[in-house]
Amino acid sequence: MAKLTYPKYTNLCGWNAMLPARQARAALTGDLTVDYAVVGAGYTGFAVARRIQELDPQARIAVLEATTVGEGSSARNSGFTGAHLLPRNATVEMAEKARVQGRFYAEAFDWLMSIVRDNGIECDIRHAGSIRAAATELGEASLRKVVEVARVNDIAHSVLSRDDIRSRIGSSYYRFGIHMEDSVLLQPAALIRGLADALPSSVSLYENTPVTAIRRQDGWVLETPGGVVTCKRMALATNGFIPRFGYLKSRMATIYTYAAVTEEIPEARLGEIGESDAWGLLPSHRLGTTLRRIGRNRVMVRSLYAHETEIDQKQATAALRARFNRRWPDLADIRFEYLWGGTTAFTMNGAPWWGQLDDGLYASGGCNGSGIAKGTMLGRHLGELMLGHGGTHDALARSIGRASWIAPEPLRTIGFHLVSAFESRKAGMEM
Ligand SMILES: Cc1cc2nc3c(=O)[nH]c(=O)nc-3n(C[C@H](O)[C@H](O)[C@H](O)COP(=O)(O)OP(=O)(O)OC[C@H]3O[C@@H](n4cnc5c(N)ncnc54)[C@H](O)[C@@H]3O)c2cc1C
């Protein structure tokens, strides 16, 4: 098998840079034999490892991470999470399905929060809820359907007018919104770093340890630059990078998306970013822009998508700048202090792929823009599946669906560009 590629980002993760420096765990040097190997130290990988350890405390488990914890996408995201992950395109016809999914998300979210509490992980959790907002007529129509589902499923929410949104975020850009009361906002790099520190002692974490090839040999053998890992069972928890191992190539692709954080906005101008100390806003269209007020005096902007490779940094900066300026023209002189890209896995129907790929080989990917709770949920179930525990896996699989087929290259790239041109036109000012 050819040596596979793993994430190497152009810029450091801004969330990680805003925290004190962290000492990474040592890379693997020498060969290692374990019962279970997990590739990828993100929400999914940590959930797999922790669940296996909970159910089989004697098991020897190794987690192998190509970069360092705090530099992967689990830290590069926008930090929105919660127990109620209603899809952006939810309609009342999907309410029952959303209710079943909601039970699984809530179970995973509660589990994650109990780990946070029990281990004293400080990740700046704000129970601020999240705003879903629309700047266009089309966006408003789609959000009104989400309001219906929230009402039918009894999910705590309130409807926001343009003035309501303006008073919260200081911008009159949006015409309609819904405030999801139960969502939480957190510092993702602090959370994933905390989860690494909280790993039980029977789980060994190796950072700066990319897995460069895997092969079957009386179990599985994983090659890394510093040594070989031999195990009975292994999990690929590498999200958009699973296809680089030669699996699920026709199910998912790597997608890059970008975020920027402003410098600290002077005290006298804080009124321009609204009355709430902490807020988060999600777009009504999938190509839209996510916004957050963080650390009281900064704003984060997340937008843009690129297929398989990073886009030029100047282009990313200019695009994010334009989105920020459209919303806060009076803050156009405020600089971006951080800008970074991160990856998710694109799947055609938005559903993840989760389960067994081969004898002793398991994978979970495609948790997309909700990976904090969804990656945790899928990783937890994958850990149970790897141990042969029965339970609710079939119900979970039925409720979340399965990533559908995607055309191979070169059709895929052509398709990506066509769909993104079409969707960008549709998204319009939601971007
Ligand atoms: C800018 C941005 C904003 C987002 N906003 C949100 C949000 O607000 N809320 C939310 O819930 N989700 C959000 N997401 C999505 C979320 O970050 C992902 O769904 C989540 O990170 C998936 O977790 P994971 O553990 O499955 O994969 P990852 O976090 O990608 O972890 C996989 C790990 O595998 C490692 N890896 C890959 N290949 C190899 C290899 N060969 N050897 C060893 N290690 C390897 C990677 O370095 C990585 O650390 C966002 C994503 C981005 C990029």
Side-chain angles (χ1 to χ4, degrees):
M1 186 184 179
K3 295 288 179 204
L4 53 91
T5 53
Y6 47 87
K8 285 183 186 150
Y9 296 102
T10 312
N11 290 334
L12 293 175
C13 166
W15 288 110
N16 203 27
M18 284 185 264
L19 293 173
R22 163 183 177 271
Q23 181 71 46
R25 304 270 185 104
L28 180 67
T29 48
D31 296 347
L32 179 72
T33 300
V34 289
D35 300 308
Y36 300 92
V38 179
V39 189
Y43 298 111
T44 305
F46 283 162
V48 172
R50 181 171 277 277
R51 190 61 179 152
I52 293 176
Q53 193 280 334
E54 280 181 354
L55 297 170
D56 181 2
Q58 305 310 319
R60 292 162 304 165
I61 307 161
V63 179
L64 309 164
E65 169 55 43
T67 61
T68 55
V69 174
E71 285 300 329
S73 285
S74 284
R76 289 174 178 263
N77 65 65
S78 307
F80 288 69
T81 191
H84 297 293
L85 305 176
L86 272 188
R88 188 171 287 119
N89 60 350
T91 59
V92 99
E93 292 73 35
M94 292 159 62
E96 180 50 33
K97 196 172 167 190
R99 204 195 323 266
V100 177
Q101 286 178 354
R103 272 185 233 126
F104 287 109
Y105 293 140
E107 178 191 57
F109 180 71
D110 290 348
W111 186 61
L112 182 63
M113 288 300 114
S114 71
I115 299 167
V116 166
R117 262 193 320 274
D118 295 350
N119 293 282
I121 298 174
E122 288 186 13
C123 54
D124 196 18
I125 293 180
R126 305 285 182 109
H127 294 275
S130 65
I131 303 166
R132 294 189 186 196
T136 63
E137 198 180 334
L138 211 61
E140 178 175 339
S142 133
L143 274 189
R144 286 193 181 278
K145 293 182 185 158
V146 177
V147 173
E148 268 305 288
V149 184
R151 198 169 289 147
V152 169
N153 283 5
D154 231 357
I155 299 174
H157 69 282
S158 50
V159 171
L160 305 175
S161 66
R162 190 186 295 274
D163 280 350
D164 295 331
I165 302 174
R166 188 182 34 75
S167 75
R168 283 166 193 248
I169 75 164
S171 165
S172 47
Y173 190 79
Y174 295 97
R175 56 190 275 161
F176 180 80
I178 166 171
H179 185 247
M180 309 295 286
E181 319 280 347
D182 294 339
S183 303
V184 303
L185 304 170
L186 51 79
Q187 215 290 18
L191 174 58
I192 199 69
R193 284 165 48 156
L195 291 174
D197 293 342
L199 283 173
S201 58
S202 58
V203 180
S204 317
L205 166 64
Y206 298 93
E207 297 180 56
N208 292 308
T209 303
V211 174
T212 52
I214 58 172
R215 61 177 190 278
R216 270 189 76 167
Q217 186 187 302
D218 191 21
W220 285 88
V221 174
L222 295 75
E223 287 179 20
T224 80
V228 157
V229 180
T230 308
C231 63
K232 292 187 207 129
R233 291 180 182 191
M234 65 170 291
L236 296 176
T238 52
N239 204 21
F241 284 78
I242 294 172
R244 315 230 174 169
F245 289 82
Y247 293 91
L248 303 180
K249 283 183 160 186
S250 59
R251 304 286 150 171
M252 59 181 72
T254 316
I255 291 289
Y256 286 81
T257 180
Y258 287 83
V261 170
T262 64
E263 62 184 330
E264 296 187 22
I265 298 169
E267 198 65 29
R269 298 175 73 185
L270 286 184
E272 295 182 44
I273 55 170
E275 289 163 6
S276 323
D277 248 18
W279 49 257
L281 183 148
L282 294 164
S284 59
H285 188 278
R286 65 177 163 154
L287 293 195
T289 297
T290 302
L291 303 166
R292 253 190 83 174
R293 177 173 181 168
I294 57 176
R296 216 178 87 74
N297 56 6
R298 295 178 191 264
V299 172
M300 188 208 74
V301 190
R302 200 260 347 131
S303 205
L304 291 179
Y305 286 98
H307 178 225
E308 295 294 340
T309 48
E310 288 222 50
I311 54 175
D312 175 68
Q313 298 297 290
K314 275 196 186 139
Q315 197 188 329
T317 310
L320 292 175
R321 184 81 245 169
R323 285 151 170 78
F324 178 85
N325 290 358
R326 275 206 290 274
R327 283 139 178 109
W328 292 281
D330 293 343
L331 293 177
D333 59 309
I334 298 289
R335 281 185 317 114
F336 285 156
E337 189 167 339
Y338 304 99
L339 181 133
W340 67 93
T343 52
T344 64
F346 169 82
T347 66
M348 201 66 201
N349 56 350
W353 198 99
W354 165 87
Q356 186 166 0
L357 287 170
D358 199 344
D359 196 15
L361 176 64
Y362 299 77
S364 174
C367 49
N368 298 337
S370 327
I372 299 175
K374 214 164 166 182
T376 300
M377 171 183 84
L378 296 173
R380 186 172 192 256
H381 279 266
L382 197 67
E384 293 175 5
L385 197 69
M386 289 172 76
L387 286 171
H389 279 240
T392 49
H393 309 316
D394 290 345
L396 173 66
R398 270 197 308 279
S399 101
I400 58 168
R402 202 159 228 238
S404 56
W405 183 82
I406 314 182
E409 294 295 358
L411 288 179
R412 180 181 299 189
T413 299
I414 297 168
F416 177 82
H417 290 305
L418 286 175
V419 171
S420 72
F422 172 74
E423 289 290 333
S424 299
R425 257 200 311 278
K426 228 167 103 184
M429 297 310 274
E430 305 295 354
M431 291 201 301

